[in-house]
Amino acid sequence: MKLFIAGASGATGEHVCRLAKEAGWDVHAFVRSKAAASRLDPAYEHSVGDPTDPQDVAQAMVGADAVAVCLGISRQTRSPFAKPVSPLDLTSRSVEAILQSMQSLQIRRIVYISAFGASESWSSIPWWGRAFLSLTQVRHSMIDHTRSEALLASSGLDWTALRPMMLDDSSSSDSAREMKSGDSLLKKVPREALARTVIRALNDRSTIRRPVALVP
Ligand SMILES: NC(=O)c1ccc[n+]([C@@H]2O[C@H](COP(=O)([O-])OP(=O)(O)OC[C@H]3O[C@@H](n4cnc5c(N)ncnc54)[C@H](OP(=O)(O)O)[C@@H]3O)[C@@H](O)[C@H]2O)c1
């Protein structure tokens, strides 16, 4: 079984590639530059292309059985509050191209990394949190993840949108777990735990066609 990973060079995407390989998937890492490709583990199949370009995506996706999307708007620094340098509609335009390719290649399963605050989950953030986020650069990611989730929901495919609130780079041998009422929104999910959750979700039919809010 082959997993197509968009955003394979990202902080979470790198974990997803490694953990997918460990879990027995063949990995197809899709990256945007030759420089990023040169840093990939040679055990992965890879291709270089623009995730918003339907032709690049369709060519690279041939032979895949499932898709993981780990793309995110890049910023001037690693802080999610820093000014974006990627197009503000990067994730939704990529999802559009990816879904189109999946439909034409008859690939059904996609796990998408979104964010808590996208779509209807925005109203679950306390008013002071919403006020704060609306004033920061984070709002661009929320808007774009909301658009991506709407595209997934209308695709008819077997999608899952994973929604962590905040990420960090600590190491973790656990997966993230689904948020329950009363859980704190302020606890950070390690990117490695998020990546484990992506791999688990691929084979977990209970996550199909719904968003899954995550806590560590
Ligand atoms: N940071 C948080 O606290 C937080 C909280 C909740 C949800 N999230 C979401 O989690 C997801 C993953 O975050 P992350 O920190 O792992 O991401 P990341 O390390 O910033 O990786 C982003 C990926 O997107 C690619 N990318 C960016 N701009 C691109 C462009 N214009 N064209 C093609 N590819 C492009 C990057 O490629 P290069 O490697 O070539 O730059 C990289 O592979 C994001 O969607 C983010 O919104 C983050």
Side-chain angles (χ1 to χ4, degrees):
M1 296 285 278
K2 191 190 288 182
L3 182 63
F4 174 91
I5 303 168
S9 55
T12 310
E14 285 183 353
H15 287 300
V16 170
C17 290
R18 177 178 51 83
L19 292 168
K21 194 80 192 164
E22 284 174 19
W25 289 87
D26 290 330
V27 167
H28 188 108
F30 186 65
V31 293
R32 64 166 150 172
S33 67
K34 286 192 177 153
S38 70
R39 291 189 292 270
L40 293 169
D41 186 324
Y44 312 151
E45 189 181 282
H46 76 265
S47 45
V48 177
D50 175 355
T52 67
D53 181 325
Q55 273 194 338
D56 283 5
V57 174
Q59 248 173 27
M61 209 183 269
V62 172
D65 298 286
V67 172
V69 181
C70 312
L71 290 163
I73 294 171
S74 295
R75 297 170 186 277
Q76 280 177 343
T77 71
R78 292 269 289 141
S79 164
F81 301 107
K83 198 167 174 228
V85 292
S86 299
L88 298 180
D89 56 0
L90 170 75
T91 53
S92 56
R93 280 184 52 220
S94 301
V95 165
E96 207 171 350
I98 287 167
L99 291 174
Q100 200 176 310
S101 301
M102 288 178 69
Q103 305 272 13
S104 66
L105 295 167
Q106 298 187 327
I107 303 167
R108 291 207 56 81
R109 188 71 179 111
I110 175 167
V111 176
Y112 174 77
I113 299 180
S114 181
F116 194 84
S119 313
E120 87 300 337
S121 65
W122 180 247
S123 58
S124 303
I125 298 176
W127 70 266
W128 46 267
R130 291 197 303 258
F132 171 70
L133 291 174
S134 301
L135 292 173
T136 69
Q137 302 286 344
V138 174
R139 71 184 185 282
H140 300 299
S141 298
M142 293 295 178
I143 292 166
D144 205 26
H145 283 313
T146 298
R147 283 197 211 110
S148 299
E149 289 194 5
L151 292 166
L152 290 166
S154 61
S155 68
L157 296 178
D158 293 342
W159 59 274
T160 301
L162 299 177
R163 292 178 178 163
M165 179 79 209
M166 287 186 288
L167 302 177
D168 71 19
D169 288 321
S170 57
S171 63
S172 171
S173 53
D174 295 322
S175 306
R177 68 167 174 82
E178 187 158 8
M179 191 182 287
K180 293 187 298 227
S181 137
D183 277 331
S184 167
L185 285 177
L186 298 178
K187 287 196 182 156
K188 294 183 178 176
V189 173
R191 286 180 171 84
E192 190 171 12
L194 173 60
R196 288 183 198 288
T197 313
V198 170
I199 304 303
R200 278 175 78 148
L202 286 165
N203 290 316
D204 179 357
R205 298 205 60 85
S206 75
T207 64
I208 284 180
R209 298 198 187 169
R210 68 182 183 95
V212 181
L214 295 175
V215 290

Short mmCIF file of all heavy atoms in Angstrom, two decimals, residues 60-115:
data_model
loop_
_atom_site.label_atom_id
_atom_site.label_comp_id
_atom_site.label_asym_id
_atom_site.label_seq_id
_atom_site.Cartn_x
_atom_site.Cartn_y
_atom_site.Cartn_z
N ALA A 60 2.15 12.76 -9.85
CA ALA A 60 2.87 12.20 -8.71
C ALA A 60 2.04 11.17 -7.95
O ALA A 60 2.58 10.30 -7.29
CB ALA A 60 3.28 13.34 -7.76
N MET A 61 0.72 11.28 -8.06
CA MET A 61 -0.17 10.46 -7.23
C MET A 61 -0.48 9.09 -7.84
O MET A 61 -1.07 8.23 -7.18
CB MET A 61 -1.47 11.23 -6.98
CG MET A 61 -2.14 10.88 -5.70
SD MET A 61 -3.70 11.76 -5.54
CE MET A 61 -3.19 13.22 -4.70
N VAL A 62 -0.05 8.89 -9.08
CA VAL A 62 -0.35 7.60 -9.75
C VAL A 62 0.21 6.44 -8.90
O VAL A 62 1.36 6.48 -8.49
CB VAL A 62 0.26 7.56 -11.17
CG1 VAL A 62 0.13 6.19 -11.79
CG2 VAL A 62 -0.41 8.62 -12.05
N GLY A 63 -0.62 5.47 -8.61
CA GLY A 63 -0.16 4.28 -7.86
C GLY A 63 -0.37 4.39 -6.36
O GLY A 63 -0.16 3.43 -5.63
N ALA A 64 -0.83 5.57 -5.89
CA ALA A 64 -1.04 5.72 -4.43
C ALA A 64 -2.38 5.10 -4.03
O ALA A 64 -3.31 5.01 -4.84
CB ALA A 64 -1.01 7.19 -4.06
N ASP A 65 -2.44 4.65 -2.77
CA ASP A 65 -3.69 4.06 -2.24
C ASP A 65 -4.37 5.01 -1.25
O ASP A 65 -5.56 4.83 -0.95
CB ASP A 65 -3.37 2.74 -1.52
CG ASP A 65 -2.78 1.73 -2.49
OD1 ASP A 65 -3.53 1.20 -3.31
OD2 ASP A 65 -1.54 1.52 -2.45
N ALA A 66 -3.62 5.94 -0.69
CA ALA A 66 -4.18 6.88 0.28
C ALA A 66 -3.31 8.13 0.30
O ALA A 66 -2.19 8.13 -0.22
CB ALA A 66 -4.22 6.23 1.67
N VAL A 67 -3.86 9.20 0.90
CA VAL A 67 -3.20 10.51 0.86
C VAL A 67 -3.17 11.12 2.26
O VAL A 67 -4.16 11.04 3.00
CB VAL A 67 -3.99 11.45 -0.09
CG1 VAL A 67 -3.48 12.88 -0.02
CG2 VAL A 67 -3.95 10.92 -1.53
N ALA A 68 -2.02 11.71 2.62
CA ALA A 68 -1.92 12.49 3.87
C ALA A 68 -1.49 13.90 3.48
O ALA A 68 -0.53 14.07 2.72
CB ALA A 68 -0.91 11.87 4.83
N VAL A 69 -2.18 14.90 3.99
CA VAL A 69 -1.84 16.29 3.66
C VAL A 69 -1.30 16.98 4.91
O VAL A 69 -2.02 17.18 5.89
CB VAL A 69 -3.07 17.06 3.11
CG1 VAL A 69 -2.68 18.48 2.74
CG2 VAL A 69 -3.66 16.33 1.91
N CYS A 70 -0.02 17.33 4.85
CA CYS A 70 0.68 17.95 6.00
C CYS A 70 1.16 19.34 5.62
O CYS A 70 2.11 19.87 6.20
CB CYS A 70 1.89 17.10 6.40
SG CYS A 70 1.53 15.35 6.57
N LEU A 71 0.52 19.94 4.62
CA LEU A 71 0.92 21.27 4.14
C LEU A 71 0.54 22.33 5.16
O LEU A 71 -0.42 22.16 5.93
CB LEU A 71 0.22 21.58 2.83
CG LEU A 71 0.66 20.77 1.61
CD1 LEU A 71 -0.38 20.87 0.50
CD2 LEU A 71 2.03 21.25 1.15
N GLY A 72 1.24 23.43 5.15
CA GLY A 72 0.86 24.57 5.98
C GLY A 72 1.48 25.82 5.39
O GLY A 72 2.52 25.76 4.71
N ILE A 73 0.84 26.94 5.63
CA ILE A 73 1.35 28.23 5.16
C ILE A 73 2.70 28.49 5.86
O ILE A 73 2.76 28.45 7.09
CB ILE A 73 0.34 29.34 5.52
CG1 ILE A 73 -0.96 29.14 4.72
CG2 ILE A 73 0.93 30.72 5.32
CD1 ILE A 73 -2.10 30.06 5.17
N SER A 74 3.78 28.68 5.06
CA SER A 74 5.08 29.00 5.68
C SER A 74 5.09 30.46 6.11
O SER A 74 4.39 31.30 5.54
CB SER A 74 6.21 28.76 4.69
OG SER A 74 6.30 27.40 4.38
N ARG A 75 5.91 30.74 7.14
CA ARG A 75 5.95 32.08 7.74
C ARG A 75 7.39 32.57 7.86
O ARG A 75 8.32 31.76 7.71
CB ARG A 75 5.28 32.03 9.13
CG ARG A 75 3.81 31.65 9.02
CD ARG A 75 3.18 31.35 10.37
NE ARG A 75 1.82 30.86 10.16
CZ ARG A 75 0.75 31.63 9.97
NH1 ARG A 75 0.88 32.96 10.01
NH2 ARG A 75 -0.43 31.11 9.75
N GLN A 76 7.55 33.86 8.17
CA GLN A 76 8.90 34.43 8.24
C GLN A 76 9.75 33.77 9.32
O GLN A 76 10.96 33.68 9.21
CB GLN A 76 8.82 35.94 8.51
CG GLN A 76 8.51 36.72 7.24
CD GLN A 76 8.35 38.21 7.46
OE1 GLN A 76 8.16 38.65 8.60
NE2 GLN A 76 8.39 38.97 6.39
N THR A 77 9.11 33.32 10.41
CA THR A 77 9.80 32.53 11.43
C THR A 77 8.94 31.30 11.71
O THR A 77 7.86 31.16 11.13
CB THR A 77 9.97 33.31 12.75
OG1 THR A 77 8.68 33.44 13.36
CG2 THR A 77 10.57 34.69 12.53
N ARG A 78 9.36 30.44 12.62
CA ARG A 78 8.60 29.21 12.93
C ARG A 78 7.35 29.51 13.75
O ARG A 78 6.51 28.64 13.93
CB ARG A 78 9.49 28.24 13.70
CG ARG A 78 10.63 27.68 12.89
CD ARG A 78 10.25 26.37 12.19
NE ARG A 78 10.11 25.29 13.14
CZ ARG A 78 9.18 24.35 13.05
NH1 ARG A 78 8.30 24.37 12.08
NH2 ARG A 78 9.13 23.38 13.93
N SER A 79 7.22 30.73 14.27
CA SER A 79 6.06 31.05 15.09
C SER A 79 4.79 31.11 14.24
O SER A 79 4.78 31.71 13.16
CB SER A 79 6.26 32.41 15.77
OG SER A 79 5.01 32.87 16.25
N PRO A 80 3.67 30.50 14.72
CA PRO A 80 2.42 30.59 13.96
C PRO A 80 1.87 32.02 13.92
O PRO A 80 0.94 32.31 13.16
CB PRO A 80 1.47 29.65 14.71
CG PRO A 80 2.07 29.42 16.06
CD PRO A 80 3.55 29.67 15.93
N PHE A 81 2.48 32.93 14.72
CA PHE A 81 2.04 34.33 14.73
C PHE A 81 2.85 35.19 13.76
O PHE A 81 2.56 36.38 13.58
CB PHE A 81 2.14 34.90 16.15
CG PHE A 81 1.30 34.12 17.15
CD1 PHE A 81 1.89 33.29 18.08
CD2 PHE A 81 -0.08 34.20 17.12
CE1 PHE A 81 1.12 32.54 18.97
CE2 PHE A 81 -0.87 33.45 17.99
CZ PHE A 81 -0.27 32.62 18.92
N ALA A 82 3.88 34.60 13.13
CA ALA A 82 4.73 35.37 12.22
C ALA A 82 4.02 35.59 10.88
O ALA A 82 3.08 34.87 10.52
CB ALA A 82 6.05 34.62 11.99
N LYS A 83 4.52 36.60 10.14
CA LYS A 83 3.91 36.97 8.86
C LYS A 83 4.03 35.82 7.84
O LYS A 83 5.12 35.26 7.67
CB LYS A 83 4.62 38.22 8.34
CG LYS A 83 3.87 38.96 7.30
CD LYS A 83 4.46 40.33 7.07
CE LYS A 83 3.72 40.93 5.90
NZ LYS A 83 4.53 41.52 4.89
N PRO A 84 2.94 35.48 7.15
CA PRO A 84 3.01 34.40 6.14
C PRO A 84 3.89 34.80 4.95
O PRO A 84 3.91 35.96 4.55
CB PRO A 84 1.56 34.24 5.68
CG PRO A 84 0.73 34.88 6.73
CD PRO A 84 1.57 35.97 7.32
N VAL A 85 4.59 33.80 4.40
CA VAL A 85 5.32 34.01 3.14
C VAL A 85 4.72 33.14 2.02
O VAL A 85 5.00 33.36 0.86
CB VAL A 85 6.84 33.76 3.29
CG1 VAL A 85 7.48 34.80 4.16
CG2 VAL A 85 7.14 32.38 3.85
N SER A 86 3.92 32.15 2.39
CA SER A 86 3.24 31.32 1.37
C SER A 86 1.96 32.03 0.95
O SER A 86 1.43 32.85 1.70
CB SER A 86 2.85 29.96 1.94
OG SER A 86 3.98 29.26 2.36
N PRO A 87 1.41 31.65 -0.21
CA PRO A 87 0.08 32.18 -0.57
C PRO A 87 -0.91 31.83 0.54
O PRO A 87 -0.86 30.74 1.11
CB PRO A 87 -0.26 31.43 -1.85
CG PRO A 87 1.02 30.85 -2.35
CD PRO A 87 1.95 30.72 -1.19
N LEU A 88 -1.82 32.75 0.83
CA LEU A 88 -2.74 32.55 1.96
C LEU A 88 -3.78 31.46 1.69
O LEU A 88 -4.43 30.99 2.62
CB LEU A 88 -3.44 33.88 2.30
CG LEU A 88 -2.49 34.99 2.75
CD1 LEU A 88 -3.26 36.27 3.06
CD2 LEU A 88 -1.65 34.56 3.94
N ASP A 89 -3.91 31.09 0.41
CA ASP A 89 -4.86 30.01 0.08
C ASP A 89 -4.12 28.72 -0.30
O ASP A 89 -4.66 27.87 -1.00
CB ASP A 89 -5.80 30.44 -1.05
CG ASP A 89 -5.04 30.88 -2.30
OD1 ASP A 89 -3.79 30.85 -2.29
OD2 ASP A 89 -5.69 31.24 -3.30
N LEU A 90 -2.88 28.58 0.20
CA LEU A 90 -2.08 27.40 -0.17
C LEU A 90 -2.79 26.09 0.11
O LEU A 90 -2.87 25.21 -0.75
CB LEU A 90 -0.74 27.41 0.60
CG LEU A 90 0.05 26.10 0.45
CD1 LEU A 90 0.70 26.00 -0.91
CD2 LEU A 90 1.07 25.94 1.55
N THR A 91 -3.31 25.93 1.33
CA THR A 91 -3.84 24.61 1.68
C THR A 91 -5.14 24.32 0.91
O THR A 91 -5.32 23.23 0.41
CB THR A 91 -4.03 24.42 3.20
OG1 THR A 91 -4.82 25.47 3.72
CG2 THR A 91 -2.71 24.39 3.93
N SER A 92 -6.01 25.31 0.79
CA SER A 92 -7.28 25.02 0.11
C SER A 92 -7.07 24.81 -1.39
O SER A 92 -7.70 23.93 -1.99
CB SER A 92 -8.30 26.12 0.37
OG SER A 92 -7.80 27.37 0.01
N ARG A 93 -6.17 25.57 -1.99
CA ARG A 93 -5.92 25.34 -3.43
C ARG A 93 -5.26 23.99 -3.65
O ARG A 93 -5.53 23.30 -4.63
CB ARG A 93 -5.07 26.46 -4.02
CG ARG A 93 -5.95 27.69 -4.32
CD ARG A 93 -5.18 28.81 -4.99
NE ARG A 93 -4.46 28.41 -6.15
CZ ARG A 93 -3.23 28.86 -6.47
NH1 ARG A 93 -2.59 29.71 -5.69
NH2 ARG A 93 -2.64 28.45 -7.56
N SER A 94 -4.40 23.60 -2.71
CA SER A 94 -3.77 22.27 -2.82
C SER A 94 -4.81 21.18 -2.65
O SER A 94 -4.82 20.19 -3.38
CB SER A 94 -2.67 22.12 -1.76
OG SER A 94 -1.70 23.12 -1.91
N VAL A 95 -5.70 21.35 -1.66
CA VAL A 95 -6.74 20.34 -1.44
C VAL A 95 -7.62 20.20 -2.67
O VAL A 95 -7.99 19.09 -3.08
CB VAL A 95 -7.57 20.68 -0.17
CG1 VAL A 95 -8.85 19.88 -0.11
CG2 VAL A 95 -6.73 20.41 1.07
N GLU A 96 -7.90 21.31 -3.32
CA GLU A 96 -8.71 21.27 -4.55
C GLU A 96 -8.01 20.39 -5.60
O GLU A 96 -8.63 19.51 -6.20
CB GLU A 96 -8.86 22.70 -5.07
CG GLU A 96 -10.09 22.91 -5.86
CD GLU A 96 -10.29 24.41 -6.17
OE1 GLU A 96 -9.58 25.28 -5.60
OE2 GLU A 96 -11.15 24.67 -7.00
N ALA A 97 -6.71 20.64 -5.80
CA ALA A 97 -5.95 19.86 -6.80
C ALA A 97 -5.84 18.41 -6.38
O ALA A 97 -5.96 17.49 -7.21
CB ALA A 97 -4.56 20.47 -6.98
N ILE A 98 -5.64 18.17 -5.09
CA ILE A 98 -5.46 16.79 -4.58
C ILE A 98 -6.76 16.01 -4.73
O ILE A 98 -6.77 14.86 -5.20
CB ILE A 98 -4.97 16.84 -3.11
CG1 ILE A 98 -3.49 17.27 -3.07
CG2 ILE A 98 -5.17 15.49 -2.41
CD1 ILE A 98 -2.97 17.66 -1.70
N LEU A 99 -7.89 16.64 -4.38
CA LEU A 99 -9.18 15.93 -4.48
C LEU A 99 -9.51 15.61 -5.93
O LEU A 99 -10.00 14.53 -6.25
CB LEU A 99 -10.30 16.77 -3.84
CG LEU A 99 -10.23 16.92 -2.32
CD1 LEU A 99 -11.30 17.89 -1.83
CD2 LEU A 99 -10.36 15.58 -1.62
N GLN A 100 -9.20 16.56 -6.81
CA GLN A 100 -9.43 16.33 -8.25
C GLN A 100 -8.63 15.11 -8.72
O GLN A 100 -9.16 14.24 -9.41
CB GLN A 100 -8.96 17.58 -8.98
CG GLN A 100 -9.50 17.77 -10.36
CD GLN A 100 -9.01 19.12 -10.91
OE1 GLN A 100 -9.12 20.17 -10.26
NE2 GLN A 100 -8.44 19.08 -12.09
N SER A 101 -7.37 15.03 -8.31
CA SER A 101 -6.53 13.89 -8.72
C SER A 101 -7.04 12.61 -8.10
O SER A 101 -7.08 11.56 -8.76
CB SER A 101 -5.08 14.11 -8.27
OG SER A 101 -4.60 15.27 -8.84
N MET A 102 -7.45 12.67 -6.84
CA MET A 102 -7.96 11.45 -6.19
C MET A 102 -9.20 10.94 -6.92
O MET A 102 -9.33 9.74 -7.13
CB MET A 102 -8.29 11.75 -4.71
CG MET A 102 -7.06 11.93 -3.84
SD MET A 102 -7.49 12.34 -2.13
CE MET A 102 -8.21 10.80 -1.56
N GLN A 103 -10.08 11.87 -7.29
CA GLN A 103 -11.30 11.45 -8.00
C GLN A 103 -10.92 10.76 -9.30
O GLN A 103 -11.46 9.70 -9.62
CB GLN A 103 -12.21 12.65 -8.32
CG GLN A 103 -12.60 13.53 -7.13
CD GLN A 103 -13.86 13.05 -6.42
OE1 GLN A 103 -14.30 11.94 -6.65
NE2 GLN A 103 -14.41 13.87 -5.53
N SER A 104 -9.99 11.37 -10.05
CA SER A 104 -9.70 10.78 -11.37
C SER A 104 -8.92 9.48 -11.23
O SER A 104 -9.02 8.61 -12.10
CB SER A 104 -9.00 11.78 -12.28
OG SER A 104 -7.75 12.06 -11.78
N LEU A 105 -8.15 9.31 -10.15
CA LEU A 105 -7.37 8.07 -9.98
C LEU A 105 -8.10 7.05 -9.10
O LEU A 105 -7.55 6.00 -8.79
CB LEU A 105 -6.00 8.40 -9.37
CG LEU A 105 -5.07 9.26 -10.23
CD1 LEU A 105 -3.90 9.80 -9.43
CD2 LEU A 105 -4.57 8.44 -11.42
N GLN A 106 -9.31 7.43 -8.67
CA GLN A 106 -10.12 6.53 -7.82
C GLN A 106 -9.42 6.14 -6.52
O GLN A 106 -9.37 4.98 -6.14
CB GLN A 106 -10.55 5.31 -8.61
CG GLN A 106 -11.41 5.71 -9.80
CD GLN A 106 -12.02 4.55 -10.54
OE1 GLN A 106 -11.43 3.49 -10.64
NE2 GLN A 106 -13.19 4.74 -11.06
N ILE A 107 -8.84 7.15 -5.90
CA ILE A 107 -8.24 6.97 -4.56
C ILE A 107 -9.24 7.56 -3.58
O ILE A 107 -9.67 8.71 -3.76
CB ILE A 107 -6.88 7.71 -4.45
CG1 ILE A 107 -5.93 7.22 -5.53
CG2 ILE A 107 -6.27 7.54 -3.06
CD1 ILE A 107 -4.69 8.08 -5.71
N ARG A 108 -9.60 6.83 -2.53
CA ARG A 108 -10.71 7.31 -1.68
C ARG A 108 -10.28 7.93 -0.35
O ARG A 108 -10.95 8.77 0.21
CB ARG A 108 -11.66 6.14 -1.36
CG ARG A 108 -12.43 5.66 -2.59
CD ARG A 108 -13.75 5.04 -2.16
NE ARG A 108 -14.58 5.92 -1.38
CZ ARG A 108 -15.36 6.88 -1.88
NH1 ARG A 108 -15.42 7.10 -3.17
NH2 ARG A 108 -16.10 7.62 -1.07
N ARG A 109 -9.11 7.49 0.21
CA ARG A 109 -8.83 7.84 1.61
C ARG A 109 -7.87 9.03 1.70
O ARG A 109 -6.78 9.01 1.09
CB ARG A 109 -8.22 6.61 2.31
CG ARG A 109 -8.04 6.77 3.81
CD ARG A 109 -9.37 6.74 4.53
NE ARG A 109 -9.23 6.87 5.97
CZ ARG A 109 -9.62 7.95 6.66
NH1 ARG A 109 -10.17 8.99 6.05
NH2 ARG A 109 -9.48 7.98 7.97
N ILE A 110 -8.24 10.03 2.48
CA ILE A 110 -7.38 11.21 2.69
C ILE A 110 -7.47 11.66 4.14
O ILE A 110 -8.58 11.78 4.70
CB ILE A 110 -7.75 12.36 1.70
CG1 ILE A 110 -6.92 13.62 2.03
CG2 ILE A 110 -9.23 12.68 1.69
CD1 ILE A 110 -6.98 14.69 0.94
N VAL A 111 -6.31 11.86 4.74
CA VAL A 111 -6.24 12.43 6.09
C VAL A 111 -5.57 13.80 5.96
O VAL A 111 -4.47 13.92 5.42
CB VAL A 111 -5.47 11.51 7.07
CG1 VAL A 111 -5.33 12.18 8.43
CG2 VAL A 111 -6.20 10.17 7.21
N TYR A 112 -6.25 14.82 6.44
CA TYR A 112 -5.83 16.21 6.26
C TYR A 112 -5.51 16.83 7.63
O TYR A 112 -6.35 16.74 8.55
CB TYR A 112 -6.97 16.98 5.59
CG TYR A 112 -6.73 18.47 5.47
CD1 TYR A 112 -5.87 18.96 4.49
CD2 TYR A 112 -7.34 19.37 6.34
CE1 TYR A 112 -5.63 20.32 4.39
CE2 TYR A 112 -7.10 20.74 6.23
CZ TYR A 112 -6.24 21.20 5.26
OH TYR A 112 -6.01 22.56 5.16
N ILE A 113 -4.38 17.46 7.76
CA ILE A 113 -4.07 18.17 9.01
C ILE A 113 -4.66 19.57 8.94
O ILE A 113 -4.26 20.40 8.11
CB ILE A 113 -2.55 18.23 9.28
CG1 ILE A 113 -1.99 16.81 9.41
CG2 ILE A 113 -2.29 19.05 10.55
CD1 ILE A 113 -0.50 16.74 9.69
N SER A 114 -5.64 19.80 9.79
CA SER A 114 -6.31 21.09 9.87
C SER A 114 -5.89 21.77 11.18
O SER A 114 -4.75 21.60 11.62
CB SER A 114 -7.83 20.83 9.81
OG SER A 114 -8.55 22.03 9.86
N ALA A 115 -6.77 22.50 11.78
CA ALA A 115 -6.45 23.17 13.06
C ALA A 115 -7.75 23.35 13.85
O ALA A 115 -8.81 23.61 13.24
CB ALA A 115 -5.80 24.52 12.81
#
